[in-house]
Each structure stands twice: as C-alpha cells, then as structure tokens.
Amino acid sequence: MACRNGPRSAKLIAVSSKETSRQADRDQLQQNLHATIKELRDVKAALDEHSIVAITDPSGKITHINDKFCAISQYSREELIGQDHRIINSRHHPRDFFRDLWTTIRAGKVWHGEIQNRAKDGSHYWVETTIFPFLNDQGEPIQYVAIRTDITKRKANEAAMELIAAELAEKNKELEAIVYTVSHDLRSPLVNVQGFGKQLQRACDTIRNAAAAAGEGGMIPAAQLKQPVEVAIPQALRFINAGVGKMETLLAGLLRYSRLGRVALTIRPLNASGLLAEIIAAMKFQLDEAEAEVHVEPLPVCEADHIQTSQVFANLLDNALKYRDPARPLRVTIRGHVSEGMAVYEVADNGIGIAPEHQAKVFDIFHRLNPEATGGEGLGLTIAQRVLERQKGRIWVESKFGEGSSFFVALPVIDSQSQPC
Ligand code: ADP
C-alpha cells in the first residue's frame, strides 16, 4: 500500500508545499503592496503638508487639488475640479510663458518656474512651481502633477529691494551731477580769487621794491605808489571779495539743499486754494509794485506738507515776477484739476518763457539761464523738485520762449474719507 500510495502522496505533499510557498509569496507581495501604499500615503501627506498640489488630466482639466491649493486660491474644491488653471490666471505673464510651459510638459519633460496667480478675491500670489508629467508606456503624458510653494513674501521683498536699488542708483546719479555742477561752479570764483591774489602779490612786490629803492628814511615817489595802491590793490580786493561771496552763497545753498532730506514732513489734507490765498497776500507788495494780476481758479485738495508745499508755490510766483517780460504787464493764472489720483496745479505766466533746450535744465542745481539779469542762486526749482518728490509728487514745465511758462505741480489727491484742514 505504502508502495502504491507512495508516489501519489509524495506528489500531493509536493503540490501542497508549492501552494504554501505561492501563498507565502502572495502574502509577501501583499505586505510589500501595503508597505508601498503606506509609504505613498506618507509621502502624499508630507507633500500636502508642505506644498500646494494639483493634478490635471492631459488637457489641463483639474482632477485633484489639496487643501493648500484651496486655501491660497480661495476657491472651493467644487469650484476648481473640472476647471483649468485659467481660473487663477493673473494675466501677469505673456502668452509665450504658458506656451513654453505646455510645450515642455507635453514633451514629457519637467517644467520649473515662478508663476503669479490671482486668488478669488482678486489679490495676487506667487508660487514656485514644478510640473511633473506622468507618462504611459508610449511616453505620452496621462496626467500632470503640479507642486507649488508660496513665494509671495519673497517676491514682495525682491520687488522692494529692486525698487530701493533703482532709487539708490537714481540718487547716486543725482549726487554725481550735483558734485559735478558744484565743483564746476566753485571753480570759476576760485580761479578769480587765485588770479587776483597774484595781482595783490605783484602790487605788494612793487611797493616793496619802491621802498627798497628809496632806502632807509628815503621817500617813495607818489607816482610809484599810485597804480598799486589806487588801482591794482582795490581791484584785486573787490574781485577776491566777490569770489569769496559767490563761494559762500554756493556752499550755503548746498547746505540748504542737503538739509532738505532731513526735514520731517507732516502729510495731511491741504486746502490749496487757502494756501495760495495766503501766499498771494504775503507777496501783495511785490505783486502790486509789478502791477501784476493773479487769477486763482478753484483748486483741488491734495495731501501734502503745508510748509514745504507753500515754499514751492511761493517760489513759482516769485519766479513769475522775476522772469516777467518788461514789455507787458504780468498775468498769472493758477488752475488745477485731478488726474489719475493726483491733484495737478498749473502756475501759468506770460513772462519771458524758456527755450525748449533749457526747459529740463531749469531743475538742475545752480542752473541759471541768465545769471546777470536777475538775482537768485539757481536753487529754487531744484529744491521744489526735491520737496515734491519726497511727498510722492512731481514738477515739470511747459513753456514757449517769448510767450510765457506753465509750471505744473502734481501731488497725491486727498483720500475721499478725510476732510481738508
Ligand atoms: P533762480 O530763480 O534762483 O535762478 P530757479 O531754480 O528758481 O533759480 O530757476 C532756475 C532758472 O529757471 C532761472 O534762472 C530762470 O532762468 C528759469 N526760470 C524759472 N522760472 C521761470 C519763469 N517763470 N519764466 C522764465 N524762466 C524761468
């Protein structure tokens, strides 16, 4: 029996041990699968914790998004599933940007980049993005996984830094121009002082030689003293004093200009009509003397520093007086309007006007078109420009030579909530 049943039972034993080992393999596979699924779940949980994740089908339709995506975009899962990413397009990037992105991922390659998106409430946010295409056996994308990190703060910091760098570069250029102008303007009185110093030296030499020739107790002939004492020395002293005076004025102006940046500003609603009325009243004597007519139209309210802005308008009126055309009575019109969040004021005169090639230069430090004709240090408009820039405003000129000039001052317009003081 044993012999007859032997091979069969041996076969059964063999089959059952094979089955057992298959089962063990299956169990092992099952375990591995569970472990892999668990690992994948953990990776997904970690990814969801850190990143903004979206999965789209090959046409770009959103099939999955995580909570972070909903939070940053402010859209609900229901609003996003089935949509494409145009729903969060901020229109910041040119069309080519997204064309390149699609060309890359459709070719089965990974795309990296920084994208500005628009949340539901219209606010913008920046995300550093990696889009990873999942491919089928033919190498065609079957879905895209986009993993993003919120970099809005970093982009804001970068933008602020860029702005500061641009402002610094601008200030540096300005400073270089000032150093150039000042050294150039200081040179001419300095050359005068040096030249007339030598003339003084020569006059002293003449007197010393005449004294030596006369000898101890001798008389110096008056004719020999006449030229140095009556002509050379007084002339040299006159020019030296004028030169020193000019240098002093330049340095005082420079100091005044440099201090502007340190003056504290008090920005508040400014009633420009009232301000102009005050300035005109303070200048009444000079205006009456010049028989000037000043017409002020209703002016918009702006936000500015009262004292500094008052100096700007006083300077513009003073210039209108200084640079009036003697051939006709001075007429000044002050008008204003609001444009793109700025109150724009115009001070228009019928004075001598400024030729086109000089118009931009009138704002340069110490620049004067006709220094001999009128008093002034060529600083008024430079200071006005700086004062206005500090208040987020600006100044420019439009002028016709021989007909008159319009100086425009733009200052931020008042917030509709607050009231003028
Ligand atoms: P300043 O009047 O002391 O010379 P500004 O900076 O105020 O200095 O003006 C610079 C130059 O601009 C003046 O020297 C003058 O040539 C020109 N300018 C300014 N305002 C007027 C104006 N209203 N009409 C004609 N020229 C002007």
Side-chain angles (χ1 to χ4, degrees), residues 315-316 319-320 322-323 349 352-354 362 367-370 375-382 405 407:
N315 189 263
L316 292 181
N319 279 354
K322 273 199 295 191
Y323 305 110
D349 66 45
I352 57 173
I354 307 164
V362 295
H367 186 86
R368 310 203 60 230
L369 301 183
N370 195 356
E377 43 183 350
L379 204 57
L381 291 176
T382 318
S405 311
F407 281 87

Side-chain angles (χ1 to χ4, degrees), residues 382-396:
T382 318
I383 287 183
Q385 189 176 47
R386 182 120 194 254
V387 158
L388 291 167
E389 273 172 6
R390 285 191 74 210
Q391 303 181 63
K392 303 200 173 14
R394 65 188 196 97
I395 182 169
W396 68 98

Side-chain angles (χ1 to χ4, degrees), residues 10 35 42 48 60 95 105 173 215 245 401:
D42 288 348
D48 281 341
R95 276 173 178 274
I105 58 173
K173 243 169 58 191
F401 187 61

